[in-house]
């Protein structure tokens, strides 16, 4: 069950750890649509909810999902420890670093880190 939360005045749609695996553009569109319907500026999804293909950049799944969020101007936070993926892939490590430098897609380790980022 999703929940809405305001973090530093920013409406954030929080997805639980349990639920369907997110694996592609159609899933991203559903997430964005739900966020827009509920008035969320950001969507927070536990990293474990993503299909393994998300963490292999050669599949283009991460790029397709992130692009949907960018197109609709909804922030995406993939929360959790993804170190096993970034240690195995220098390209993914670079992708995550670039995303974390921006204002649209972040990969915080936990909710506390996300709260600090949203503080501004």
């Amino acid at each position: 069950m999703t929940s809405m939360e305001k973090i530093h005045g920013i409406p954030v749609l929080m997805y639980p750890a349990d639920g369907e695996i997110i694996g592609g553009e159609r899933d991203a569109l559903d997430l964005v649509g739900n966020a827009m319907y509920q008035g969320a500026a950001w969507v927070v999804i536990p990293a474990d909810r993503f299909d393994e293909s998300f963490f292999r950049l050669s599949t283009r799944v991460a790029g397709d999902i992130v692009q949907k969020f960018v197109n609709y101007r909804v922030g995406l936070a993939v929360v959790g420890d993804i170190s096993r993926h970034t240690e195995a892939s220098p390209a993914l490590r670079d992708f995550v670093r670039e995303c974390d430098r921006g204002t649209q897609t972040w990969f915080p380790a936990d909710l506390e880190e996300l709260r600090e980022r949203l503080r501004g």
Side-chain angles (χ1 to χ4, degrees), residues 3-34:
S3 63
M4 280 292 289
E5 185 176 324
K6 284 224 175 185
I7 301 175
H8 305 294
I10 299 168
V12 177
L13 183 59
M14 310 284 281
Y15 278 84
D18 296 336
E20 292 183 29
I21 296 296
I22 299 159
E25 282 184 81
R26 182 171 299 270
D27 298 328
L29 284 172
D30 290 344
L31 296 166
V32 168
N34 191 21

Side-chain angles (χ1 to χ4, degrees), residues 53-63 89-96:
S53 62
F54 179 85
F55 300 102
R56 291 190 313 271
L57 294 184
S58 63
T59 66
R60 304 181 74 188
V61 171
S89 171
L92 178 63
R93 187 171 44 249
D94 293 344
F95 175 76
V96 168

Side-chain angles (χ1 to χ4, degrees), residues 10 14 21 29 37 46 58 69-70 95 101 109 113 115-116:
I10 299 168
M14 310 284 281
I21 296 296
L29 284 172
Y37 176 75
S58 63
F69 280 86
V70 169
F95 175 76
R101 287 181 182 163
E113 183 181 337
R115 285 184 175 90
E116 287 300 313

Side-chain angles (χ1 to χ4, degrees), residues 25 32 64-74 104:
E25 282 184 81
V32 168
D64 291 344
I65 289 173
V66 167
Q67 189 61 52
K68 291 299 176 204
F69 280 86
V70 169
N71 289 348
Y72 290 95
R73 301 184 199 309
V74 175
Q104 180 71 42

Side-chain angles (χ1 to χ4, degrees), residues 79-115:
V79 177
D81 181 9
I82 62 168
S83 60
R84 71 181 174 97
H85 299 291
T86 56
E87 288 171 5
S89 171
L92 178 63
R93 187 171 44 249
D94 293 344
F95 175 76
V96 168
R97 185 174 41 249
E98 287 302 313
C99 286
D100 283 342
R101 287 181 182 163
T103 59
Q104 180 71 42
T105 305
W106 296 334
F107 290 84
D110 54 36
L111 289 176
E112 187 57 38
E113 183 181 337
L114 174 65
R115 285 184 175 90

